[in-house]
Amino acid sequence: MREARRLCEIVCVQNHYNLVHRADDELIDDLGGDGIAYVPFFPLGGFSPLQSSVLTEMAGLLGATPMQVAIAWLLHRAPNILLIPGTSSVAHLGENLAAVALELPDDIRTTLDQIATDSA
């Protein structure tokens, strides 16, 4: 990022990131401090069966789908995260949009944060 910023103004970075693939945690925070957007690539995929089961369990507690919880987690992760989750239907789009209103209580958020740590 430092090298790129010497060459031009950076307004957005896109990289592989989601609830499980969290290598860019520090980068997201650094970018946010500078007002630079971050767009997660593959925001809803790549979960192992164990990770998926934890996500499904948390979704059940919230009365939501696992993907809604994954979207909500990303939206709560940092204010500079901009999401572009793929969709194949209007119904699926509605499900994605409903995730915006999903609140994540601290205990569920802690469990979700732990998914990446437990799989490392």
Side-chain angles (χ1 to χ4, degrees), residues 16-25 38 42 45-47 51 116:
H16 186 204
Y17 186 82
N18 61 36
L19 181 59
V20 174
H21 299 93
R22 307 258 310 268
D24 281 357
D25 274 341
Y38 184 93
F42 205 41
F47 305 127
Q51 295 157 343

Side-chain angles (χ1 to χ4, degrees), residues 1-61:
M1 272 304 294
R2 282 189 288 275
E3 185 175 335
R5 291 178 87 178
R6 283 193 293 268
L7 299 173
C8 64
E9 181 181 2
I10 306 295
V11 297
C12 183
V13 171
Q14 183 178 31
N15 205 8
H16 186 204
Y17 186 82
N18 61 36
L19 181 59
V20 174
H21 299 93
R22 307 258 310 268
D24 281 357
D25 274 341
E26 186 177 335
L27 175 63
I28 290 168
D29 295 336
D30 290 345
L31 294 172
D34 292 335
I36 298 172
Y38 184 93
V39 177
F41 175 77
F42 205 41
L44 300 178
F47 305 127
S48 75
L50 179 60
Q51 295 157 343
S52 292
S53 67
V54 172
L55 181 58
T56 299
E57 180 184 345
M58 296 301 103
L61 294 173

Side-chain angles (χ1 to χ4, degrees), residues 64-77:
T65 68
M67 293 303 103
Q68 285 174 319
V69 173
I71 289 171
W73 182 86
L74 284 163
L75 292 172
H76 286 87
R77 167 59 183 84

